[in-house]
Amino acid sequence: MTRVSTWTPPEAEERGWTIERHILEGQRSSPGATGELTSLLQQITLCSKIIASRVNMAGLAGDLGLTGQTNVQGEEVQKLDDFANQTLIRTLSRGGHCCMLGSEEEEDPIPVPSGYPSGKYAVLFDPLDGSSNIDVNVSIGTIFSVHERVSEAGGAGELRDLLQGGTRQVAAGYVIYGSSTMLVYTTGAGVHGFSLDPAVGEFFLSHLDIKIPERGKIYSVNEGNSARWEQPVRSWVQWLKSDAPEQKRPYSHRYVGSLVADFHRTLLKGGVFAYPADNKNRRGKLRLMYEAAPIAMLAEQAGGAASTGVEPIMGLEPENLHQRVPLYVGSKQDVRDAEGFLGTND
Ligand code: AFP
């Protein structure tokens, strides 16, 4: 169940709030809140500052390039991927608020080391999404998803603490390392964005209660895969590109190849991002637990939608930690159009 909060977003004059203050205000107006989620989010914020600082210095610090290893997805691990992964694991597993972690870089769930308390939350993360863009200075990001544990309090965490459906997320967010570093998150009370002031080392509220436009004019998809798509996907993209000025088509095309960057643009400007299933990736390429589910929570909280093309991402019950899923996310009307072509929306 999505956690209900009575908290309403701050007024425009509160735009200078730090992220700490914003999270704390949310806690104060959530009946029954213990402060643990607040503290966990602060730990994630700290990790994102450490990662941002290393990303910014990567060329100078010799942190570009590969480690020589491959991850669970069979992809080559970049040095920065590894750094981000280790930063999150070290901080969260020993921070007292988690009982179990899941990382896109690790095959198995990550337990709390012995001697450390087992906390109330299970956190999943993609430490550095879009890592093929690292070496060319294109935006990359960190994505996270937080669930309340379902196993017995105080004991060791279990796989089922991580394997929960999207509607059970209590928080989700991402950090984008772009022309500026931004952290965007939701705890079920809207979506809020914070920009890092590197001189102060602090995130300040810059994007209040973000809402995705009902319909956009940009589509974002890797069209290099079009020969492998099913006909309905091809027809949908062809329709977006067709000349129909009275229906505000053709749409413009933008594709970064980092989900965080493509979604961030979609969140702010509207339109649709898609990574469809194709005849190479029958279940799509993106990962449900590390990418699609947290992005779907943010999209819905911002008034948008996220779908596999046939059903809402948030309604999926996960089968395993690394399962993949097709994703259509963004403005509600644009996602409905895609579903119409894929046969689910009469
Ligand atoms: P990498 O982290 O391997 O670069 O993958 C990024 C990603 O998971 C997601 O962030 C992108 O939207 C998508 O893959 C890009 O995939 P293509 O390169 O196949 O378009």
Side-chain angles (χ1 to χ4, degrees), residues 126 129-131 133 139-141 143 174 176 220 255-266 273-275 286-287 290-296 327 329:
D126 183 348
D129 181 68
S131 43
N133 279 325
S139 298
I140 49 182
I143 309 174
Y174 61 83
I176 179 167
S220 185
Y255 190 73
V256 177
S258 295
L259 174 62
V260 168
D262 283 314
F263 179 69
H264 188 63
R265 182 197 56 248
T266 306
F273 168 87
Y275 208 111
L286 302 182
R287 296 80 173 169
Y290 307 109
E291 296 173 308
I295 291 295
L327 176 65
V329 62

PDB file of all heavy atoms in Angstrom, residues 126 129-131 133 139-141 143 174 176 220 255-266 273-275 286-287 290-296 327 329:
ATOM      1  N   ASP A 126      19.820   1.036  -8.500  1.00  0.00           N
ATOM      2  CA  ASP A 126      20.700   0.940  -9.663  1.00  0.00           C
ATOM      3  C   ASP A 126      21.751   2.012  -9.403  1.00  0.00           C
ATOM      4  O   ASP A 126      21.464   3.205  -9.517  1.00  0.00           O
ATOM      5  CB  ASP A 126      19.898   1.220 -10.947  1.00  0.00           C
ATOM      6  CG  ASP A 126      20.770   1.054 -12.189  1.00  0.00           C
ATOM      7  OD1 ASP A 126      22.002   0.949 -12.040  1.00  0.00           O
ATOM      8  OD2 ASP A 126      20.213   1.039 -13.300  1.00  0.00           O
ATOM      9  N   ASP A 129      23.078   4.311 -13.315  1.00  0.00           N
ATOM     10  CA  ASP A 129      22.321   3.933 -14.504  1.00  0.00           C
ATOM     11  C   ASP A 129      22.829   4.730 -15.709  1.00  0.00           C
ATOM     12  O   ASP A 129      23.128   5.909 -15.594  1.00  0.00           O
ATOM     13  CB  ASP A 129      20.848   4.252 -14.240  1.00  0.00           C
ATOM     14  CG  ASP A 129      19.990   3.876 -15.415  1.00  0.00           C
ATOM     15  OD1 ASP A 129      19.866   2.670 -15.672  1.00  0.00           O
ATOM     16  OD2 ASP A 129      19.475   4.782 -16.076  1.00  0.00           O
ATOM     17  N   GLY A 130      22.898   4.051 -16.851  1.00  0.00           N
ATOM     18  CA  GLY A 130      23.367   4.722 -18.076  1.00  0.00           C
ATOM     19  C   GLY A 130      24.881   4.723 -18.156  1.00  0.00           C
ATOM     20  O   GLY A 130      25.487   5.615 -18.733  1.00  0.00           O
ATOM     21  N   SER A 131      25.502   3.668 -17.580  1.00  0.00           N
ATOM     22  CA  SER A 131      26.958   3.724 -17.441  1.00  0.00           C
ATOM     23  C   SER A 131      27.696   3.722 -18.774  1.00  0.00           C
ATOM     24  O   SER A 131      28.851   4.141 -18.827  1.00  0.00           O
ATOM     25  CB  SER A 131      27.472   2.622 -16.522  1.00  0.00           C
ATOM     26  OG  SER A 131      26.837   1.429 -16.784  1.00  0.00           O
ATOM     27  N   ASN A 133      27.290   5.777 -20.847  1.00  0.00           N
ATOM     28  CA  ASN A 133      27.473   7.204 -21.142  1.00  0.00           C
ATOM     29  C   ASN A 133      28.550   7.866 -20.272  1.00  0.00           C
ATOM     30  O   ASN A 133      28.837   9.050 -20.452  1.00  0.00           O
ATOM     31  CB  ASN A 133      26.149   7.956 -20.910  1.00  0.00           C
ATOM     32  CG  ASN A 133      25.211   7.826 -22.096  1.00  0.00           C
ATOM     33  OD1 ASN A 133      25.658   7.795 -23.235  1.00  0.00           O
ATOM     34  ND2 ASN A 133      23.911   7.760 -21.832  1.00  0.00           N
ATOM     35  N   SER A 139      24.818  12.666 -19.220  1.00  0.00           N
ATOM     36  CA  SER A 139      24.152  12.474 -17.920  1.00  0.00           C
ATOM     37  C   SER A 139      23.931  11.009 -17.564  1.00  0.00           C
ATOM     38  O   SER A 139      23.514  10.211 -18.412  1.00  0.00           O
ATOM     39  CB  SER A 139      22.794  13.172 -17.928  1.00  0.00           C
ATOM     40  OG  SER A 139      22.972  14.547 -18.116  1.00  0.00           O
ATOM     41  N   ILE A 140      24.199  10.701 -16.324  1.00  0.00           N
ATOM     42  CA  ILE A 140      23.954   9.372 -15.774  1.00  0.00           C
ATOM     43  C   ILE A 140      23.207   9.556 -14.455  1.00  0.00           C
ATOM     44  O   ILE A 140      22.976  10.699 -14.043  1.00  0.00           O
ATOM     45  CB  ILE A 140      25.286   8.604 -15.556  1.00  0.00           C
ATOM     46  CG1 ILE A 140      26.297   9.497 -14.809  1.00  0.00           C
ATOM     47  CG2 ILE A 140      25.862   8.177 -16.889  1.00  0.00           C
ATOM     48  CD1 ILE A 140      27.646   8.843 -14.602  1.00  0.00           C
ATOM     49  N   GLY A 141      22.838   8.472 -13.800  1.00  0.00           N
ATOM     50  CA  GLY A 141      22.056   8.672 -12.580  1.00  0.00           C
ATOM     51  C   GLY A 141      22.069   7.481 -11.645  1.00  0.00           C
ATOM     52  O   GLY A 141      22.577   6.413 -11.970  1.00  0.00           O
ATOM     53  N   ILE A 143      19.241   5.330  -9.236  1.00  0.00           N
ATOM     54  CA  ILE A 143      17.793   5.168  -8.996  1.00  0.00           C
ATOM     55  C   ILE A 143      17.617   4.343  -7.715  1.00  0.00           C
ATOM     56  O   ILE A 143      18.359   3.379  -7.505  1.00  0.00           O
ATOM     57  CB  ILE A 143      17.108   4.425 -10.170  1.00  0.00           C
ATOM     58  CG1 ILE A 143      17.466   5.085 -11.509  1.00  0.00           C
ATOM     59  CG2 ILE A 143      15.587   4.393  -9.989  1.00  0.00           C
ATOM     60  CD1 ILE A 143      16.940   4.320 -12.720  1.00  0.00           C
ATOM     61  N   TYR A 174      15.467   9.338  -7.802  1.00  0.00           N
ATOM     62  CA  TYR A 174      16.702   9.217  -8.569  1.00  0.00           C
ATOM     63  C   TYR A 174      17.550  10.460  -8.354  1.00  0.00           C
ATOM     64  O   TYR A 174      17.064  11.505  -7.917  1.00  0.00           O
ATOM     65  CB  TYR A 174      16.414   9.017 -10.065  1.00  0.00           C
ATOM     66  CG  TYR A 174      15.669  10.140 -10.738  1.00  0.00           C
ATOM     67  CD1 TYR A 174      16.332  11.276 -11.203  1.00  0.00           C
ATOM     68  CD2 TYR A 174      14.292  10.070 -10.910  1.00  0.00           C
ATOM     69  CE1 TYR A 174      15.641  12.304 -11.825  1.00  0.00           C
ATOM     70  CE2 TYR A 174      13.585  11.091 -11.526  1.00  0.00           C
ATOM     71  CZ  TYR A 174      14.276  12.204 -11.985  1.00  0.00           C
ATOM     72  OH  TYR A 174      13.591  13.233 -12.582  1.00  0.00           O
ATOM     73  N   ILE A 176      20.236  12.668 -10.698  1.00  0.00           N
ATOM     74  CA  ILE A 176      20.781  12.819 -12.045  1.00  0.00           C
ATOM     75  C   ILE A 176      22.057  13.634 -11.959  1.00  0.00           C
ATOM     76  O   ILE A 176      22.084  14.712 -11.347  1.00  0.00           O
ATOM     77  CB  ILE A 176      19.737  13.431 -13.019  1.00  0.00           C
ATOM     78  CG1 ILE A 176      20.338  13.612 -14.413  1.00  0.00           C
ATOM     79  CG2 ILE A 176      19.140  14.734 -12.524  1.00  0.00           C
ATOM     80  CD1 ILE A 176      19.296  13.914 -15.489  1.00  0.00           C
ATOM     81  N   SER A 220      10.624   9.257 -26.952  1.00  0.00           N
ATOM     82  CA  SER A 220      11.994   8.895 -26.634  1.00  0.00           C
ATOM     83  C   SER A 220      12.099   7.379 -26.649  1.00  0.00           C
ATOM     84  O   SER A 220      11.525   6.700 -25.791  1.00  0.00           O
ATOM     85  CB  SER A 220      12.322   9.439 -25.236  1.00  0.00           C
ATOM     86  OG  SER A 220      13.664   9.211 -24.913  1.00  0.00           O
ATOM     87  N   TYR A 255      16.658  11.073 -27.439  1.00  0.00           N
ATOM     88  CA  TYR A 255      17.045   9.826 -26.773  1.00  0.00           C
ATOM     89  C   TYR A 255      18.474   9.927 -26.291  1.00  0.00           C
ATOM     90  O   TYR A 255      19.399  10.066 -27.082  1.00  0.00           O
ATOM     91  CB  TYR A 255      16.904   8.630 -27.725  1.00  0.00           C
ATOM     92  CG  TYR A 255      17.059   7.296 -27.023  1.00  0.00           C
ATOM     93  CD1 TYR A 255      16.054   6.814 -26.197  1.00  0.00           C
ATOM     94  CD2 TYR A 255      18.213   6.532 -27.160  1.00  0.00           C
ATOM     95  CE1 TYR A 255      16.194   5.597 -25.534  1.00  0.00           C
ATOM     96  CE2 TYR A 255      18.363   5.318 -26.506  1.00  0.00           C
ATOM     97  CZ  TYR A 255      17.343   4.861 -25.702  1.00  0.00           C
ATOM     98  OH  TYR A 255      17.477   3.650 -25.037  1.00  0.00           O
ATOM     99  N   VAL A 256      18.639   9.889 -24.951  1.00  0.00           N
ATOM    100  CA  VAL A 256      19.962  10.003 -24.344  1.00  0.00           C
ATOM    101  C   VAL A 256      20.595   8.625 -24.181  1.00  0.00           C
ATOM    102  O   VAL A 256      21.793   8.442 -24.394  1.00  0.00           O
ATOM    103  CB  VAL A 256      19.868  10.709 -22.965  1.00  0.00           C
ATOM    104  CG1 VAL A 256      21.226  10.766 -22.290  1.00  0.00           C
ATOM    105  CG2 VAL A 256      19.293  12.108 -23.115  1.00  0.00           C
ATOM    106  N   GLY A 257      19.765   7.636 -23.790  1.00  0.00           N
ATOM    107  CA  GLY A 257      20.308   6.303 -23.513  1.00  0.00           C
ATOM    108  C   GLY A 257      20.651   6.106 -22.049  1.00  0.00           C
ATOM    109  O   GLY A 257      21.196   5.074 -21.666  1.00  0.00           O
ATOM    110  N   SER A 258      20.336   7.100 -21.200  1.00  0.00           N
ATOM    111  CA  SER A 258      20.349   6.933 -19.743  1.00  0.00           C
ATOM    112  C   SER A 258      18.896   7.125 -19.314  1.00  0.00           C
ATOM    113  O   SER A 258      18.339   8.208 -19.522  1.00  0.00           O
ATOM    114  CB  SER A 258      21.159   8.019 -19.032  1.00  0.00           C
ATOM    115  OG  SER A 258      22.515   7.959 -19.352  1.00  0.00           O
ATOM    116  N   LEU A 259      18.310   6.101 -18.700  1.00  0.00           N
ATOM    117  CA  LEU A 259      16.899   6.208 -18.329  1.00  0.00           C
ATOM    118  C   LEU A 259      16.642   7.439 -17.464  1.00  0.00           C
ATOM    119  O   LEU A 259      15.652   8.143 -17.630  1.00  0.00           O
ATOM    120  CB  LEU A 259      16.464   4.930 -17.597  1.00  0.00           C
ATOM    121  CG  LEU A 259      15.062   4.940 -17.014  1.00  0.00           C
ATOM    122  CD1 LEU A 259      14.006   5.097 -18.098  1.00  0.00           C
ATOM    123  CD2 LEU A 259      14.807   3.676 -16.192  1.00  0.00           C
ATOM    124  N   VAL A 260      17.554   7.689 -16.508  1.00  0.00           N
ATOM    125  CA  VAL A 260      17.356   8.812 -15.599  1.00  0.00           C
ATOM    126  C   VAL A 260      17.246  10.121 -16.388  1.00  0.00           C
ATOM    127  O   VAL A 260      16.376  10.953 -16.122  1.00  0.00           O
ATOM    128  CB  VAL A 260      18.496   8.874 -14.561  1.00  0.00           C
ATOM    129  CG1 VAL A 260      18.466  10.177 -13.804  1.00  0.00           C
ATOM    130  CG2 VAL A 260      18.373   7.720 -13.593  1.00  0.00           C
ATOM    131  N   ALA A 261      18.117  10.305 -17.360  1.00  0.00           N
ATOM    132  CA  ALA A 261      18.108  11.552 -18.138  1.00  0.00           C
ATOM    133  C   ALA A 261      16.862  11.618 -19.028  1.00  0.00           C
ATOM    134  O   ALA A 261      16.192  12.660 -19.104  1.00  0.00           O
ATOM    135  CB  ALA A 261      19.372  11.644 -18.983  1.00  0.00           C
ATOM    136  N   ASP A 262      16.543  10.503 -19.672  1.00  0.00           N
ATOM    137  CA  ASP A 262      15.367  10.517 -20.542  1.00  0.00           C
ATOM    138  C   ASP A 262      14.083  10.693 -19.721  1.00  0.00           C
ATOM    139  O   ASP A 262      13.151  11.377 -20.138  1.00  0.00           O
ATOM    140  CB  ASP A 262      15.311   9.234 -21.385  1.00  0.00           C
ATOM    141  CG  ASP A 262      16.304   9.280 -22.559  1.00  0.00           C
ATOM    142  OD1 ASP A 262      16.352  10.313 -23.249  1.00  0.00           O
ATOM    143  OD2 ASP A 262      17.029   8.293 -22.769  1.00  0.00           O
ATOM    144  N   PHE A 263      14.048  10.078 -18.522  1.00  0.00           N
ATOM    145  CA  PHE A 263      12.841  10.250 -17.707  1.00  0.00           C
ATOM    146  C   PHE A 263      12.775  11.651 -17.119  1.00  0.00           C
ATOM    147  O   PHE A 263      11.689  12.242 -17.036  1.00  0.00           O
ATOM    148  CB  PHE A 263      12.768   9.200 -16.590  1.00  0.00           C
ATOM    149  CG  PHE A 263      11.550   9.389 -15.734  1.00  0.00           C
ATOM    150  CD1 PHE A 263      10.278   9.147 -16.246  1.00  0.00           C
ATOM    151  CD2 PHE A 263      11.655   9.880 -14.438  1.00  0.00           C
ATOM    152  CE1 PHE A 263       9.133   9.371 -15.479  1.00  0.00           C
ATOM    153  CE2 PHE A 263      10.515  10.111 -13.667  1.00  0.00           C
ATOM    154  CZ  PHE A 263       9.255   9.849 -14.196  1.00  0.00           C
ATOM    155  N   HIS A 264      13.904  12.187 -16.711  1.00  0.00           N
ATOM    156  CA  HIS A 264      13.903  13.529 -16.112  1.00  0.00           C
ATOM    157  C   HIS A 264      13.328  14.552 -17.108  1.00  0.00           C
ATOM    158  O   HIS A 264      12.497  15.389 -16.743  1.00  0.00           O
ATOM    159  CB  HIS A 264      15.325  13.909 -15.706  1.00  0.00           C
ATOM    160  CG  HIS A 264      15.422  15.166 -14.907  1.00  0.00           C
ATOM    161  ND1 HIS A 264      14.856  15.313 -13.660  1.00  0.00           N
ATOM    162  CD2 HIS A 264      15.995  16.362 -15.191  1.00  0.00           C
ATOM    163  CE1 HIS A 264      15.095  16.529 -13.210  1.00  0.00           C
ATOM    164  NE2 HIS A 264      15.775  17.192 -14.127  1.00  0.00           N
ATOM    165  N   ARG A 265      13.755  14.443 -18.345  1.00  0.00           N
ATOM    166  CA  ARG A 265      13.200  15.345 -19.370  1.00  0.00           C
ATOM    167  C   ARG A 265      11.692  15.099 -19.528  1.00  0.00           C
ATOM    168  O   ARG A 265      10.900  16.046 -19.607  1.00  0.00           O
ATOM    169  CB  ARG A 265      13.916  15.111 -20.715  1.00  0.00           C
ATOM    170  CG  ARG A 265      13.426  16.037 -21.827  1.00  0.00           C
ATOM    171  CD  ARG A 265      13.826  15.534 -23.200  1.00  0.00           C
ATOM    172  NE  ARG A 265      13.347  14.183 -23.412  1.00  0.00           N
ATOM    173  CZ  ARG A 265      14.130  13.110 -23.512  1.00  0.00           C
ATOM    174  NH1 ARG A 265      15.425  13.213 -23.499  1.00  0.00           N
ATOM    175  NH2 ARG A 265      13.578  11.902 -23.658  1.00  0.00           N
ATOM    176  N   THR A 266      11.310  13.845 -19.543  1.00  0.00           N
ATOM    177  CA  THR A 266       9.892  13.511 -19.721  1.00  0.00           C
ATOM    178  C   THR A 266       9.060  14.050 -18.560  1.00  0.00           C
ATOM    179  O   THR A 266       7.953  14.570 -18.750  1.00  0.00           O
ATOM    180  CB  THR A 266       9.732  11.971 -19.840  1.00  0.00           C
ATOM    181  OG1 THR A 266      10.595  11.508 -20.885  1.00  0.00           O
ATOM    182  CG2 THR A 266       8.302  11.578 -20.156  1.00  0.00           C
ATOM    183  N   PHE A 273       8.542   8.128 -22.797  1.00  0.00           N
ATOM    184  CA  PHE A 273       9.764   7.344 -22.957  1.00  0.00           C
ATOM    185  C   PHE A 273       9.331   5.888 -23.057  1.00  0.00           C
ATOM    186  O   PHE A 273       8.473   5.433 -22.296  1.00  0.00           O
ATOM    187  CB  PHE A 273      10.697   7.510 -21.751  1.00  0.00           C
ATOM    188  CG  PHE A 273      11.820   6.503 -21.766  1.00  0.00           C
ATOM    189  CD1 PHE A 273      12.996   6.772 -22.450  1.00  0.00           C
ATOM    190  CD2 PHE A 273      11.683   5.261 -21.153  1.00  0.00           C
ATOM    191  CE1 PHE A 273      14.016   5.825 -22.508  1.00  0.00           C
ATOM    192  CE2 PHE A 273      12.696   4.310 -21.212  1.00  0.00           C
ATOM    193  CZ  PHE A 273      13.860   4.591 -21.881  1.00  0.00           C
ATOM    194  N   ALA A 274       9.934   5.157 -23.984  1.00  0.00           N
ATOM    195  CA  ALA A 274       9.599   3.734 -24.097  1.00  0.00           C
ATOM    196  C   ALA A 274      10.844   2.894 -24.306  1.00  0.00           C
ATOM    197  O   ALA A 274      11.774   3.304 -25.010  1.00  0.00           O
ATOM    198  CB  ALA A 274       8.641   3.515 -25.261  1.00  0.00           C
ATOM    199  N   TYR A 275      10.862   1.739 -23.661  1.00  0.00           N
ATOM    200  CA  TYR A 275      11.804   0.688 -24.035  1.00  0.00           C
ATOM    201  C   TYR A 275      10.956  -0.564 -24.240  1.00  0.00           C
ATOM    202  O   TYR A 275      10.677  -1.308 -23.309  1.00  0.00           O
ATOM    203  CB  TYR A 275      12.917   0.463 -23.000  1.00  0.00           C
ATOM    204  CG  TYR A 275      14.154  -0.068 -23.713  1.00  0.00           C
ATOM    205  CD1 TYR A 275      15.305   0.696 -23.844  1.00  0.00           C
ATOM    206  CD2 TYR A 275      14.136  -1.313 -24.331  1.00  0.00           C
ATOM    207  CE1 TYR A 275      16.403   0.235 -24.554  1.00  0.00           C
ATOM    208  CE2 TYR A 275      15.228  -1.775 -25.050  1.00  0.00           C
ATOM    209  CZ  TYR A 275      16.349  -0.998 -25.158  1.00  0.00           C
ATOM    210  OH  TYR A 275      17.434  -1.459 -25.880  1.00  0.00           O
ATOM    211  N   LEU A 286      14.781  -3.198 -19.620  1.00  0.00           N
ATOM    212  CA  LEU A 286      14.924  -2.524 -18.328  1.00  0.00           C
ATOM    213  C   LEU A 286      14.485  -3.432 -17.182  1.00  0.00           C
ATOM    214  O   LEU A 286      13.660  -4.333 -17.367  1.00  0.00           O
ATOM    215  CB  LEU A 286      14.135  -1.215 -18.335  1.00  0.00           C
ATOM    216  CG  LEU A 286      14.556  -0.242 -19.448  1.00  0.00           C
ATOM    217  CD1 LEU A 286      13.768   1.050 -19.371  1.00  0.00           C
ATOM    218  CD2 LEU A 286      16.056   0.056 -19.393  1.00  0.00           C
ATOM    219  N   ARG A 287      15.042  -3.160 -16.019  1.00  0.00           N
ATOM    220  CA  ARG A 287      14.785  -4.033 -14.868  1.00  0.00           C
ATOM    221  C   ARG A 287      13.609  -3.485 -14.068  1.00  0.00           C
ATOM    222  O   ARG A 287      13.575  -2.294 -13.736  1.00  0.00           O
ATOM    223  CB  ARG A 287      15.995  -4.120 -13.945  1.00  0.00           C
ATOM    224  CG  ARG A 287      17.223  -4.753 -14.559  1.00  0.00           C
ATOM    225  CD  ARG A 287      17.933  -3.765 -15.394  1.00  0.00           C
ATOM    226  NE  ARG A 287      19.216  -4.240 -15.887  1.00  0.00           N
ATOM    227  CZ  ARG A 287      19.921  -3.597 -16.817  1.00  0.00           C
ATOM    228  NH1 ARG A 287      19.460  -2.500 -17.385  1.00  0.00           N
ATOM    229  NH2 ARG A 287      21.075  -4.054 -17.191  1.00  0.00           N
ATOM    230  N   TYR A 290      14.772  -2.264 -10.271  1.00  0.00           N
ATOM    231  CA  TYR A 290      15.778  -1.205 -10.128  1.00  0.00           C
ATOM    232  C   TYR A 290      15.468   0.019 -10.978  1.00  0.00           C
ATOM    233  O   TYR A 290      16.015   1.086 -10.744  1.00  0.00           O
ATOM    234  CB  TYR A 290      17.163  -1.744 -10.519  1.00  0.00           C
ATOM    235  CG  TYR A 290      17.532  -2.993  -9.780  1.00  0.00           C
ATOM    236  CD1 TYR A 290      17.574  -4.231 -10.425  1.00  0.00           C
ATOM    237  CD2 TYR A 290      17.811  -2.954  -8.423  1.00  0.00           C
ATOM    238  CE1 TYR A 290      17.893  -5.380  -9.737  1.00  0.00           C
ATOM    239  CE2 TYR A 290      18.126  -4.095  -7.725  1.00  0.00           C
ATOM    240  CZ  TYR A 290      18.165  -5.314  -8.381  1.00  0.00           C
ATOM    241  OH  TYR A 290      18.472  -6.447  -7.700  1.00  0.00           O
ATOM    242  N   GLU A 291      14.646  -0.157 -12.004  1.00  0.00           N
ATOM    243  CA  GLU A 291      14.401   0.954 -12.921  1.00  0.00           C
ATOM    244  C   GLU A 291      12.896   1.234 -13.068  1.00  0.00           C
ATOM    245  O   GLU A 291      12.416   2.316 -12.726  1.00  0.00           O
ATOM    246  CB  GLU A 291      15.019   0.642 -14.302  1.00  0.00           C
ATOM    247  CG  GLU A 291      16.537   0.532 -14.238  1.00  0.00           C
ATOM    248  CD  GLU A 291      17.180   0.065 -15.532  1.00  0.00           C
ATOM    249  OE1 GLU A 291      16.756  -0.975 -16.082  1.00  0.00           O
ATOM    250  OE2 GLU A 291      18.123   0.724 -16.010  1.00  0.00           O
ATOM    251  N   ALA A 292      12.156   0.244 -13.582  1.00  0.00           N
ATOM    252  CA  ALA A 292      10.764   0.519 -13.962  1.00  0.00           C
ATOM    253  C   ALA A 292       9.863   0.861 -12.767  1.00  0.00           C
ATOM    254  O   ALA A 292       9.078   1.819 -12.831  1.00  0.00           O
ATOM    255  CB  ALA A 292      10.191  -0.669 -14.736  1.00  0.00           C
ATOM    256  N   ALA A 293       9.964   0.092 -11.671  1.00  0.00           N
ATOM    257  CA  ALA A 293       9.030   0.319 -10.548  1.00  0.00           C
ATOM    258  C   ALA A 293       9.245   1.684  -9.883  1.00  0.00           C
ATOM    259  O   ALA A 293       8.283   2.439  -9.685  1.00  0.00           O
ATOM    260  CB  ALA A 293       9.108  -0.824  -9.536  1.00  0.00           C
ATOM    261  N   PRO A 294      10.509   2.040  -9.526  1.00  0.00           N
ATOM    262  CA  PRO A 294      10.671   3.385  -8.929  1.00  0.00           C
ATOM    263  C   PRO A 294      10.286   4.510  -9.890  1.00  0.00           C
ATOM    264  O   PRO A 294       9.663   5.498  -9.474  1.00  0.00           O
ATOM    265  CB  PRO A 294      12.157   3.448  -8.538  1.00  0.00           C
ATOM    266  CG  PRO A 294      12.818   2.269  -9.171  1.00  0.00           C
ATOM    267  CD  PRO A 294      11.767   1.247  -9.441  1.00  0.00           C
ATOM    268  N   ILE A 295      10.631   4.358 -11.170  1.00  0.00           N
ATOM    269  CA  ILE A 295      10.278   5.401 -12.146  1.00  0.00           C
ATOM    270  C   ILE A 295       8.755   5.485 -12.270  1.00  0.00           C
ATOM    271  O   ILE A 295       8.182   6.578 -12.402  1.00  0.00           O
ATOM    272  CB  ILE A 295      10.962   5.093 -13.505  1.00  0.00           C
ATOM    273  CG1 ILE A 295      12.481   5.285 -13.394  1.00  0.00           C
ATOM    274  CG2 ILE A 295      10.373   5.920 -14.644  1.00  0.00           C
ATOM    275  CD1 ILE A 295      12.974   6.687 -13.122  1.00  0.00           C
ATOM    276  N   ALA A 296       8.089   4.332 -12.198  1.00  0.00           N
ATOM    277  CA  ALA A 296       6.620   4.319 -12.300  1.00  0.00           C
ATOM    278  C   ALA A 296       5.984   5.037 -11.117  1.00  0.00           C
ATOM    279  O   ALA A 296       5.005   5.788 -11.268  1.00  0.00           O
ATOM    280  CB  ALA A 296       6.110   2.880 -12.375  1.00  0.00           C
ATOM    281  N   LEU A 327       8.712  -1.005 -20.922  1.00  0.00           N
ATOM    282  CA  LEU A 327       8.302   0.201 -20.189  1.00  0.00           C
ATOM    283  C   LEU A 327       7.839   1.301 -21.141  1.00  0.00           C
ATOM    284  O   LEU A 327       8.536   1.621 -22.110  1.00  0.00           O
ATOM    285  CB  LEU A 327       9.490   0.719 -19.353  1.00  0.00           C
ATOM    286  CG  LEU A 327       9.264   2.035 -18.594  1.00  0.00           C
ATOM    287  CD1 LEU A 327       8.196   1.882 -17.509  1.00  0.00           C
ATOM    288  CD2 LEU A 327      10.574   2.524 -17.952  1.00  0.00           C
ATOM    289  N   VAL A 329       6.421   5.136 -20.321  1.00  0.00           N
ATOM    290  CA  VAL A 329       6.213   6.004 -19.163  1.00  0.00           C
ATOM    291  C   VAL A 329       6.211   7.464 -19.587  1.00  0.00           C
ATOM    292  O   VAL A 329       6.920   7.862 -20.497  1.00  0.00           O
ATOM    293  CB  VAL A 329       7.301   5.736 -18.079  1.00  0.00           C
ATOM    294  CG1 VAL A 329       8.704   6.050 -18.574  1.00  0.00           C
ATOM    295  CG2 VAL A 329       7.022   6.490 -16.794  1.00  0.00           C
TER     296      VAL A 329
END
